[in-house]
Amino acid sequence: MTETLKERARTLGLHGLVAHWGEVAEHDWVAALVAWEEDERRSRSLKRRLSDARLGQFKPLADFDWSWPRRCDRMAIEDLMGLDFLEEAANVVLVGPNGVGKSTIAANIAHRAVLEGHTCRFATAAHMLGELAAIDSDTLLQRKLRFYARQHLLVIDEVGYLSYSNRHADLLFHIVSSRSRQHSTIITTNRPFAEWSEAFPNAACLVALVDRLVHNAEIVPIDGDSWRRKEAEERQRARSAERQRRNAKERRRAAKTAA
């Protein structure tokens, strides 16, 4: 037991404590000190990884309305939440129209991965590719590409919402290729692969990009009406009802005053 505790202290880099182990090993505070240090480092590591992931605010999957999409394989998504695909370095592609919950699902998977100790980055395609394309130093570009390549999980959100140049397509291909067989990538897109040529017109690497992406990939189609539009319509109805209530109240007050 004391040797196991000593190894834990050595792993933590508590070299002074380890050097004087024979003098302090039998004291009760040693085990507490090692446990405190482990807990603090786990907490700091989690906070750092959550910050680095840049997930922003998202709806927990527990609050997701599974009855809203017309088509959504709930079992496939729940399996993805188990993170087995990370062990296989498999990719995930969530395909569907705007507002059906693709980004929410991707953010929930990424959040679970962070909680389980993985490094992660969540980025829209527009932000990531725009940032990379704007770097004019080859050294800085290679450093940034390595950053994206080494994440245990990379989520590239909203591929296909905008049109991109050949330069952007080449950068995306580089990232997907560098992660292939090593780490997992989640893509959310509003376009089937047959329409990606509209987002990446004239890109010579497009066929190879899709081939690398779908190799050993889970493709999850989602279909339905926009949840955001539904919420906007509900808010509008609620505001209208509130205005009608206030107007009715004002009319009753005016009638009472006139009487």
Side-chain angles (χ1 to χ4, degrees):
M1 179 66 179
T2 183
E3 281 304 311
T4 301
L5 189 62
K6 185 177 181 181
E7 284 304 313
R8 288 164 59 192
R10 183 177 286 111
T11 300
L12 291 168
L14 301 177
H15 303 301
L17 185 66
V18 172
H20 295 276
W21 195 256
E23 304 167 37
V24 301
E26 300 304 318
H27 292 280
D28 292 341
W29 59 263
V30 175
L33 174 66
V34 171
W36 291 338
E37 186 66 23
E38 288 173 333
D39 289 344
E40 180 63 20
R41 294 195 185 190
R42 277 193 294 267
S43 176
R44 286 174 177 268
S45 176
L46 176 58
K47 288 178 181 178
R48 182 177 63 254
R49 284 182 284 106
L50 282 171
S51 176
D52 290 344
R54 298 188 179 179
L55 297 175
Q57 293 185 340
F58 59 92
K59 179 185 296 185
L61 208 57
D63 298 335
F64 190 81
D65 185 355
W66 295 100
S67 66
W68 179 252
R70 287 187 293 271
R71 179 188 184 190
C72 183
D73 190 338
R74 180 174 181 175
M75 290 185 63
I77 292 168
E78 290 178 345
D79 283 347
L80 291 172
M81 289 291 289
L83 305 180
D84 288 343
F85 73 98
L86 291 180
E87 302 302 320
E88 303 168 7
N91 296 326
V92 178
V93 183
L94 303 174
V95 188
N98 300 348
V100 293
K102 302 184 300 297
S103 299
T104 294
I105 292 168
N108 274 272
I109 296 171
H111 185 254
R112 175 64 62 85
V114 172
L115 294 181
E116 292 299 321
H118 297 282
T119 59
C120 175
R121 174 57 68 97
F122 187 107
T124 65
H127 180 271
M128 184 185 75
L129 297 178
E131 176 189 44
L132 292 171
I135 298 175
D136 55 10
S137 164
D138 187 63
T139 300
L140 293 178
L141 177 60
Q142 293 304 317
R143 184 182 302 167
K144 196 66 176 181
L145 288 170
R146 286 195 296 271
F147 167 81
Y148 284 116
R150 70 173 177 259
Q151 302 301 314
H152 295 164
L153 176 61
L154 175 64
V155 180
I156 307 176
D157 196 27
E158 299 180 349
V159 175
Y161 287 68
L162 300 174
S163 292
Y164 298 98
S165 69
N166 291 350
R167 165 76 167 157
H168 294 104
D170 290 342
L171 288 166
L172 182 58
F173 175 73
H174 182 97
I175 290 171
V176 170
S177 298
S178 65
R179 298 179 55 77
S180 179
R181 299 187 181 89
Q182 300 181 56
H183 299 303
S184 297
T185 303
I186 296 179
I187 298 282
T188 76
T189 179
N190 63 336
R191 296 176 182 269
F193 290 119
E195 298 179 6
W196 273 34
S197 58
E198 298 177 25
F200 300 98
N202 305 315
C205 66
L206 183 57
V207 173
L209 168 61
V210 173
D211 182 68
R212 295 287 177 89
L213 188 60
V214 301
H215 178 70
N216 192 30
E218 174 94 15
I219 301 175
V220 183
I222 305 173
D223 188 29
D225 297 323
S226 172
W227 179 263
R228 287 189 291 269
R229 186 180 304 163
K230 172 180 178 290
E231 289 185 324
E233 291 172 351
E234 289 176 347
R235 286 194 298 269
Q236 182 60 40
R237 285 195 292 269
R239 285 194 291 265
S240 296
E242 175 61 21
R243 283 194 293 268
Q244 292 173 7
R245 187 192 65 79
R246 289 200 307 268
N247 290 338
K249 185 176 180 180
E250 289 296 327
R251 287 195 297 269
R252 288 195 297 270
R253 182 183 295 117
K256 186 181 293 185
T257 302

